[in-house]
Amino acid sequence: MERTLTNFIQALRNAEVRISTAETLDAVSVVERVGYRDRAFLKRSLSLVLPKTKEEKETFDTCFDQFFRFEDVKSQSGRGEGSDGEDGEESQGDGAGGAGGERDGLPQQQAGKKSKGKAKGKPRDRDLLADEEAEEDLGPGEMAQATSTLGKLLMANSRVELSVAMANAGEAVDVREIQVFTQKGLFARRMMDEMGLGELNREIADLKEAPQVPSRRLGQELGRRRDWLREEVRDYVERQFLLHADASGKRLREELLRKVKLSNVEHRSFRLIQEIVYKMAKRLATMHSRRKKVFKRGQLNLPRTLRNNMAYDGAIFDLHWKSVKVDRPRVFAICDVSGSVANYARFMLMFLYSLEEVMPKVRSFAFSSDLAEVTELFERNNIEDAISKVLRDYSGGSTDYGQALKDFKRNCLDDVDNRTTIIILGDARNNYGENHQEILKEMYDRAKRVIWLNPESKNAWNVGDSVMRTYGAYCHQVDECNSLMHLERVVGNLLKQQST
Amino acid sequence: MADIDNITASVERIKAAFESHNYICSDQIATAVYLAYHLHKPILIEGPPGVGKTELAKTTSELFELPLIRLQCYEGLDEAKAIYEWKYGKQLLYTQVLKETLDEVLQGAKGFAESVNRLHEFGDIFFSEEFLEPRPLLKALRQEDGCVLLIDEVDKSDHEFESLLLEILSDFQVSIPEIGTVKAVAEPPMVFLTSNNTREISDALKRRCLHLYIPFPDQELEQRIIHARVPEIPPELQRQLVAFIQELRELDLKKVPAISETIDWARTLLLLHTESLDPKLVRDTLNVILKFQEDIINVDAEITAITNKITAAGR
């Protein structure tokens, strides 16, 4: 039982619901309390313990349905037991026959021939089965008790218990190791064997020959349910294939995308990248969302202490210390959005604005030749729209860093103070224009930090029209930044430095 | 004393019991209460404002006939206000008394060492239970028959405060350096934490809780809630106003109306002896359900369309 649960949790983790060991233990105690009988109840209960955000709950819902999906035994058998409706019986037989796999129907076939001898020996299994079902239908009435383990389970009408048994069988044959599509039949058969198909088949064969009506009726019912079970097992294997093979594939892809150069990202992967960016931003945000307070131990806040101790007759009991609140970082992002760097700018802006929770004061500027503030665009639109608008409006024209710096000086150098961090994203390829590094120096003097992120790899710097060396002299930090991993590291450091 | 065991025997009973207290809850909510009670776990409730997060705790306390101890969180809340504090005034008073009777106390003491020893005895007394001022969390642990502890809007508190909560949430105990560890006296309290998600709650805290997300109710559930809370309202009007609110939630608003607003609106309409919604009336009472001028202006244009749609659906 517990293995099923841990497998389910594994599948959840695959689907990126973060579940700790403590939560697994909670889930175990929940299952002990709730049991596997009531599926909806189990789902509701587990959804309280395992997923811990709204988004995770949605993932959980789909995962649970996939993992524990099981056709309703009751409704199936209800159809089988119905006293009227030849049609129902017919179709039931058909379905069963159609579902019959390799070894299917053999014992049943024999049983049918022996007990009645009326089977016409039609060439095809399906017809034979249908005939037999129609003829042999013994109607509703009392039934004997099943004796084999699987038989009992099938007759118990508890689909959740059945699904647990199935999951256990799946575990025994290592169904999660399934790699390729073609293995599905093999695994399904192994699982049926594991669940005790042999024993059940023997029981059915015996029952069909039994003289008492209730026994024969049971045999018939069992046969029906066995075929239905076979279908289920196939579905189960299929799902396992999707669940495990799919998730590891996605993880691999994500891992790859984190490291790949952003300019090489294909357009169709943008969505995935966006997801990753949000996820990374989320993680940084949770890590740094604490309010930053630094207590300078040893410095007494005299006015406050006196005020607070007035009630104690001026005796000083309750000491208050001076504390310093560290502001959240104020970030100015200046992005080169000309053709070569545009993609990097896209993801950096995405990253910065996804961090709104911890960095509420991002102002962003875009330039290729002229520089303009685009903060407002981001306030009014959602991130993706804003980014595409920025790229549309500003990415034309050849790069001119000198002009951009001059524009920056004119527009908002006055807003830069010693709490501001300036991040410049660009390849420093100035088309042999004027550099105006004196403005950068001015920025360097005023700002808390100036960080230059260059998407080109280090050995391409200072080659050709790249003037990284000139600009680099006036930066606190110069970094190569061309993949999501780099980006995460830079922004993470930024937040960390602010918090000390 | 309410028969708690009887109420919590099954999810259905919990649901029925809540309904008898005019709190209409979904299966999910009832399951959460059921598990919280049986597994002794706190519930962290998240959801948009006004869906009855706080109300759930209040109703539970009514239902179980246990006292409700409430801790409202805000920025700067610390252990002195949440767990315990020393009664400084009393300590000061006793020191004064001690000062005056110092001679008596030290009478007959031979030598300095013995005098100091005698004084030490007093020192311990000053930091004993006598001088302890229990704040909500400690109070909750000390309730003889158990209680319902509501830690409201935990997302408003500081990050450090969350860490303070961890001990009480996982082990139902608090540590006071001068005294030692205080454990829950008898039955551990039922703990509810609510959060409006203004910031991300830390994983450590989440891990210790059952996580319940209460969304806006669907139309049917909301109608039942209105019926339970404002039973006097005619059924047709009730249907219309719930449908109207549900439509509003689809729009892009700064603050979408919650259940509490629906209830307020229902009361308002009842007061005005309304029988059916019409655009003018809606326009006049819109400020009951929308709390931003911007939203009111935005919705204004849509009112006629929505009202017509709803009244047409009723026919």
Side-chain angles (χ1 to χ4, degrees):
Chain A
M1 288 276 186
E2 278 178 20
R3 293 208 78 165
T4 316
L5 192 62
T6 42
N7 283 346
F8 175 54
I9 286 170
Q10 193 56 45
L12 275 179
R13 284 189 183 139
N14 262 337
E16 283 157 16
V17 179
R18 285 174 52 182
I19 295 165
S20 67
T21 322
E23 280 157 338
T24 312
L25 289 176
D26 286 348
V28 172
S29 51
V30 162
V31 169
E32 268 169 20
R33 180 86 221 166
V34 172
Y36 282 103
R37 280 193 172 270
D38 187 344
R39 186 171 176 279
F41 187 28
L42 179 67
K43 181 176 175 184
R44 265 184 278 130
S45 307
L46 284 180
S47 85
L48 290 165
V49 188
L50 296 175
K52 298 278 160 103
T53 63
K54 200 182 160 198
E55 293 76 31
E56 283 182 358
K57 276 195 201 289
E58 278 163 23
T59 324
F60 171 87
D61 279 353
T62 43
C63 252
F64 186 92
D65 290 344
Q66 262 189 8
F67 197 87
F68 286 112
R69 197 190 60 178
F70 220 69
E71 289 274 328
D72 202 340
V73 187
K74 239 176 197 155
S75 71
Q76 283 268 4
S77 61
R79 208 151 42 114
E81 280 161 12
S83 55
D84 58 334
E86 281 258 307
D87 296 345
E89 283 302 314
E90 291 272 326
S91 69
Q92 186 78 12
D94 264 7
E102 310 85 349
R103 287 139 34 96
D104 173 43
L106 196 70
Q108 212 166 11
Q109 203 176 331
Q110 285 169 347
K113 273 180 187 160
K114 276 182 192 163
S115 61
K116 289 278 167 180
K118 277 185 188 172
K120 301 281 175 342
K122 281 186 183 164
R124 278 170 44 198
D125 250 13
R126 164 186 301 222
D127 294 344
L128 180 70
L129 269 170
D131 258 341
E132 177 197 62
E133 293 270 348
E135 270 174 331
E136 264 217 272
D137 184 22
L138 296 163
E142 57 171 330
M143 265 192 263
Q145 291 292 313
T147 49
S148 67
T149 342
L150 184 57
K152 275 188 211 148
L153 204 57
L154 279 173
M155 296 309 289
N157 267 342
S158 159
R159 60 198 153 114
V160 185
E161 270 172 37
L162 254 179
S163 82
V164 171
M166 218 156 71
N168 284 339
E171 187 61 34
V173 301
D174 279 335
V175 72
R176 279 180 305 152
E177 299 302 314
I178 187 166
Q179 296 283 340
V180 269
F181 198 73
T182 46
Q183 286 172 308
K184 282 198 286 191
L186 177 72
F187 273 108
R189 212 171 89 200
R190 280 201 202 145
M191 269 180 68
M192 286 298 278
D193 286 347
E194 180 67 30
M195 286 173 82
L197 182 68
E199 197 189 345
L200 181 69
N201 277 340
R202 271 195 300 284
E203 190 190 5
I204 293 175
D206 290 348
L207 281 171
K208 294 250 165 161
E209 285 177 76
Q212 301 92 342
V213 174
S215 298
R216 286 219 301 279
R217 200 174 278 134
L218 174 70
Q220 204 173 45
E221 184 62 30
L222 274 178
R224 223 175 265 142
R225 292 193 184 196
R226 175 197 56 197
D227 294 336
W228 164 85
L229 179 71
R230 188 174 283 125
E231 275 287 275
E232 283 302 313
V233 168
R234 273 158 189 267
D235 277 1
Y236 177 81
V237 174
E238 167 108 34
R239 277 196 314 274
Q240 292 298 314
F241 174 72
L242 289 178
L243 218 57
H244 296 289
D246 187 40
S248 47
K250 190 182 175 197
R251 245 201 333 243
L252 205 69
R253 224 161 56 230
E254 278 196 11
E255 203 52 43
L256 228 69
L257 277 177
R258 272 168 186 261
K259 290 180 193 149
V260 82
K261 267 192 157 194
L262 284 174
S263 56
N264 297 342
V265 173
E266 291 166 61
H267 204 271
R268 67 186 166 90
S269 297
F270 271 16
R271 278 229 73 81
L272 191 58
I273 288 254
Q274 257 173 33
E275 265 176 48
I276 301 175
V277 167
Y278 285 135
K279 232 178 330 182
M280 285 167 138
K282 190 106 196 156
R283 213 177 63 222
L284 281 178
T286 354
M287 248 159 69
H288 295 281
S289 66
R290 65 185 62 197
R291 280 168 49 91
K292 284 128 204 154
K293 243 187 235 168
V294 180
F295 285 91
K296 276 191 190 153
R297 283 261 162 206
Q299 273 195 14
L300 199 63
N301 186 341
L302 206 59
R304 213 172 143 209
T305 308
L306 286 180
R307 217 167 28 242
N308 274 295
N309 285 295
M310 220 105 89
Y312 315 131
D313 206 12
I316 293 176
F317 267 102
D318 190 8
L319 301 184
H320 288 270
W321 305 97
K322 275 184 184 166
S323 65
V324 180
K325 236 190 265 170
V326 174
D327 248 350
R328 283 166 178 160
R330 280 172 50 146
V331 173
F332 281 31
I334 304 176
C335 296
D336 181 353
V337 290
S338 65
S340 52
V341 204
N343 243 353
Y344 299 103
R346 168 195 296 269
F347 292 117
M348 189 171 91
L349 287 174
M350 202 185 277
F351 207 104
L352 287 180
Y353 278 94
S354 309
L355 278 169
E356 214 183 356
E357 197 181 328
V358 269
M359 295 202 299
K361 294 174 198 155
V362 178
R363 284 177 72 178
S364 44
F365 305 85
F367 71 93
S368 54
S369 53
D370 298 309
L371 176 136
E373 179 160 3
V374 291
T375 316
E376 209 177 298
L377 265 176
F378 282 91
E379 276 162 14
R380 270 188 285 124
N381 301 296
N382 66 28
I383 299 176
E384 287 101 86
D385 289 354
I387 289 172
S388 34
K389 273 183 192 158
V390 169
L391 293 183
R392 185 195 64 203
D393 294 348
Y394 299 97
S395 66
S398 63
T399 331
D400 185 347
Y401 281 80
Q403 182 60 40
L405 285 173
K406 272 202 295 198
D407 285 344
F408 184 81
K409 180 180 178 174
R410 197 179 59 241
N411 289 335
C412 53
L413 190 60
D414 293 342
D415 297 343
V416 175
D417 58 22
N418 59 3
R419 286 179 301 153
T420 317
T421 303
I422 301 177
I423 303 179
I424 304 172
L425 179 80
D427 54 6
R429 292 198 179 275
N430 203 11
N431 294 325
Y432 304 104
E434 282 181 75
N435 292 337
H436 286 292
Q437 66 266 34
E438 73 281 354
I439 300 176
L440 189 63
K441 180 176 184 303
E442 212 173 318
M443 284 156 74
Y444 173 83
D445 291 339
R446 298 181 70 124
K448 182 175 178 192
R449 285 182 82 75
V450 177
I451 302 173
W452 193 296
L453 301 179
N454 194 330
E456 287 186 341
S457 62
K458 271 202 173 120
N459 43 23
W461 294 3
N462 305 318
V463 177
D465 58 350
S466 170
V467 287
M468 198 60 234
R469 189 176 295 131
T470 323
Y471 284 141
Y474 301 109
C475 296
H476 293 85
Q477 182 188 348
V478 181
D479 264 322
E480 175 188 340
C481 174
N482 53 29
S483 72
L484 285 181
M485 256 173 38
H486 285 149
L487 206 53
E488 188 186 24
R489 197 177 310 145
V490 169
V491 180
N493 280 339
L494 176 71
L495 285 165
K496 232 179 276 166
Q497 270 152 8
Q498 296 282 345
S499 65
T500 49
Chain B
M1 196 63 211
D3 188 359
I4 299 179
D5 286 330
N6 191 22
I7 293 171
T8 55
S10 77
V11 172
E12 284 69 32
R13 288 219 192 133
I14 293 177
K15 230 175 126 177
F18 269 114
E19 260 169 57
S20 70
H21 278 75
N22 280 345
Y23 187 90
I24 311 293
C25 63
S26 62
D27 284 345
Q28 185 71 65
I29 296 174
T31 311
V33 175
Y34 173 83
L35 286 178
Y37 178 78
H38 287 287
L39 300 176
H40 298 307
K41 292 217 118 210
I43 310 182
L44 171 65
I45 314 169
E46 287 189 318
V51 288
K53 297 190 291 291
T54 310
E55 205 59 32
L56 175 63
K58 282 193 201 159
T59 317
T60 312
S61 90
E62 274 173 33
L63 197 63
F64 292 175
E65 289 174 21
L66 293 174
L68 176 75
I69 295 180
R70 180 168 175 167
L71 174 68
Q72 183 73 42
C73 294
Y74 51 87
E75 252 188 62
L77 180 67
D78 59 5
E79 55 185 342
K81 286 164 201 141
I83 304 180
Y84 70 94
E85 197 168 24
W86 296 106
K87 293 176 180 166
Y88 297 118
K90 197 170 164 188
Q91 281 175 337
L92 195 68
L93 197 68
Y94 276 54
T95 357
Q96 297 290 344
V97 173
L98 181 66
K99 208 153 101 189
E100 277 155 27
T101 57
L102 200 58
D103 289 343
E104 285 170 38
V105 174
L106 294 181
Q107 208 166 38
K110 292 192 179 67
F112 183 67
E114 203 183 328
S115 313
V116 170
N117 268 343
R118 284 197 191 178
L119 282 177
H120 268 318
E121 284 162 27
F122 284 94
D124 284 346
I125 290 172
F126 282 126
F127 288 100
S128 65
E129 302 259 342
E130 298 287 303
F131 292 89
L132 198 66
E133 174 84 68
R135 299 291 186 191
L137 295 185
L138 189 60
K139 224 188 266 173
L141 289 182
R142 286 176 156 191
Q143 295 291 322
E144 296 281 335
D145 311 313
C147 66
V148 175
L149 172 65
L150 167 63
I151 302 174
D152 213 3
E153 309 202 355
V154 71
D155 53 332
K156 299 269 178 4
S157 70
D158 302 325
H159 205 275
E160 292 81 3
F161 181 69
E162 263 180 39
S163 319
L164 271 180
L165 284 178
L166 298 181
E167 189 184 5
I168 189 170
L169 291 184
S170 56
D171 300 327
F172 296 107
Q173 62 174 44
V174 291
S175 298
I176 301 169
E178 293 88 346
I179 293 178
T181 308
V182 180
K183 282 203 158 83
V185 184
E187 189 75 355
M190 288 270 289
V191 186
F192 292 86
L193 299 103
T194 71
S195 155
N196 280 334
N197 237 339
T198 52
R199 75 180 167 84
E200 195 77 3
I201 305 292
S202 73
D203 284 346
L205 186 74
K206 279 186 174 174
R207 204 169 57 224
R208 285 166 173 81
C209 303
L210 300 175
H211 183 270
L212 173 66
Y213 183 83
I214 307 185
F216 285 123
D218 57 20
Q219 185 151 356
E220 194 239 323
L221 191 63
E222 189 161 21
Q223 282 198 28
R224 284 177 55 209
I225 295 171
I226 297 294
H227 183 72
R229 288 292 161 121
V230 196
E232 307 88 2
I233 198 157
E236 174 56 19
L237 179 62
Q238 172 197 316
R239 188 197 63 75
Q240 287 181 4
L241 80 96
V242 170
F244 189 88
I245 297 277
Q246 296 268 345
E247 288 283 335
L248 278 192
R249 291 202 186 118
E250 300 291 310
L251 300 177
D252 179 25
L253 296 178
K254 217 165 164 183
K255 185 191 174 306
V256 271
I259 303 174
S260 48
E261 269 101 24
T262 320
I263 294 172
D264 285 347
W265 200 34
R267 293 211 174 106
T268 314
L269 294 179
L270 196 66
L271 211 62
L272 296 171
H273 302 294
T274 320
E275 282 183 357
S276 169
L277 286 186
D278 66 76
K280 185 181 174 305
L281 183 79
V282 174
R283 199 162 283 135
D284 291 342
T285 54
L286 205 56
N287 53 358
V288 180
I289 39 177
L290 294 176
K291 304 291 162 76
F292 284 97
Q293 191 57 33
E294 208 182 308
D295 284 348
I296 296 182
I297 293 166
N298 280 341
V299 169
D300 203 63
E302 313 269 341
I303 288 178
T304 320
I306 300 178
T307 334
N308 286 342
K309 187 174 154 197
I310 291 164
T311 41
R315 266 175 235 132

